[in-house]
Amino acid sequence: MTTPESTITSSTMPQSRNAPVTTEGAPSFGAGATAATTSPTLDELIGTAVNTALLPEPSATAYDAVATGDDDPLVLAGHRFTSRFILGSGRYDLNLIRATVREAGTQIVTMALRRCRTTENNLLDYLPPDVTLLPNTSGARNAEDAVRIARLAREVCATDFIKVEIEHETRYLLPDNAETIRATEMLANEGFVVMPYMFPDPVAARNLQDAGAACVMPMGSLIGSNKGIRLRDGIEVIVANADVPVIIDAGIGRPSQAAEAMEMGVDAVMAYTAIASAGNIPVMARAFKHAIEAGREAFLSGLGTVTSDHAVASSPTQIEDMLR
C-alpha cells in the first residue's frame, strides 16, 4: 500500500525556493480552495519525505542494551569492582579522606606504605572498611626494593594488592619498565595482585602481562602534572592489544581528561593530584566519578564517525552524503 510520502516524486517537488507554483490540473472545491490545494506541503518544502527515504537502516545492534555500572564490572585477578575510579590519597587532610572516598564512589584507594602508620594519624583509620587498599612501592629504585616494600605492605595493610612503582630519579619520576617487569614476575609468583605503573611502551605492556600483571597502568603524562593524556599513541596501541585491564595512571588533571581516557577504551582511571589540589576536594572527586562513568558509556555505545577533510550536512538530501 502506498503512503502519501511514497507518492511524492521529483516532478512534484518545487525546483527552487522561488519557483512558481502552478495550479494546472488541481481540483476545485469552491471559493478559497485554490490556494489550499496548490500550496506545497511542508514536507515538500523541506524535503522531509524524501530525506526519510534516504536514511540508512539502523545497524542490528543500534537498540541493544549496553551493560553499565553493576553489570559492567572491572575485574582484577578475579576481584570484581563496579567503580572504575581508583583514588590516590597522598596529600589529603585525613579529615577529608572519608568524604572524598564517598563522593568519588571509589572502591580502591592507593597509598604509600609510609602513610600506613601503626600509631596516631594512621590513614587506614579514616578509610571506609569496604574499600580495597592498594599500597604502592613508592621509593623503590629496583625490583628488589619493590619486592621488600610489597612484603611489608602485605603485613601492614592485610592485602595482596600492590601497585609497583620503580623510579630512579626525582625530577620526572619516569617508571623503569625493565625493573618493573622483574618485580612483577617475582611478586606474581608470591601470590600478589600486581598492578604495575609503566611508561606506555606496548612491548613492555605485553611483557608485564606475560610476567603475571593483573593489569597495566601506563602514565598519561608526568606524575602530578595535570597535563592530561600526552602519550596517547602508545596507550592506544596498548589498549588495542592488551588481554588485561588498562588503567591510566598519572597526569590526568581534569574530569574531561578522565572522560577522554575512558572514551579511548581504557578500563579505569587513577587520579589524585587533580583532586587533592582542587578548591573543593569532595566535589571534584564527584565530578571525576561522573566523568569516568560518562566516558565508559560513550565508549560502550560506540562513538560517531570522524570525517577527515569535509563537512557533512546535518540534514543531508543525497544518499552519498549519508555514506561518506
Side-chain angles (χ1 to χ4, degrees), residues 140-315:
R141 296 293 183 264
N142 53 49
E144 287 73 22
D145 285 352
V147 169
R148 183 173 63 255
I149 295 171
R151 290 169 178 165
L152 289 171
R154 173 185 265 171
E155 296 302 318
V156 173
C157 301
T159 181
D160 289 329
F161 279 78
I162 190 70
K163 180 188 173 196
V164 174
E165 295 185 23
I166 302 176
E167 299 110 1
H168 290 294
E169 45 73 42
T170 58
R171 179 175 175 81
Y172 301 108
L173 296 174
L174 295 174
D176 183 329
N177 282 353
E179 288 296 299
T180 299
I181 293 166
R182 282 210 310 127
T184 296
E185 184 171 13
M186 295 164 69
L187 291 169
N189 288 337
E190 294 187 16
F192 282 89
V193 177
V194 187
M195 300 173 64
Y197 167 60
M198 62 166 300
F199 189 86
D201 171 4
V203 175
R206 173 56 61 179
N207 291 337
L208 283 166
Q209 180 177 311
D210 293 343
C215 66
V216 291
M217 303 181 73
M219 59 189 293
S221 55
L222 296 179
I223 291 177
S225 68
N226 285 348
K227 291 183 176 180
I229 303 172
R230 295 293 183 89
L231 301 168
R232 173 184 291 272
D233 290 348
I235 294 170
E236 287 179 338
V237 175
I238 292 172
V239 168
N241 293 279
D243 296 324
V244 295
V246 179
I247 301 172
I248 291 289
D249 178 16
I252 300 298
R254 300 179 180 180
S256 59
Q257 294 166 356
E260 177 187 3
M262 297 303 294
E263 289 173 358
M264 289 170 58
V266 307
D267 296 279
V269 167
M270 179 179 163
Y272 160 62
T273 302
I275 297 167
S277 60
N280 187 309
I281 291 175
V283 172
M284 182 59 77
R286 186 169 68 235
F288 264 81
K289 170 183 182 291
H290 294 319
I292 290 168
E293 292 173 349
R296 178 66 177 176
E297 291 193 6
F299 170 74
L300 292 176
S301 66
L303 299 172
T305 301
V306 177
T307 62
S308 59
D309 59 359
H310 63 276
V312 176
S314 57
S315 299

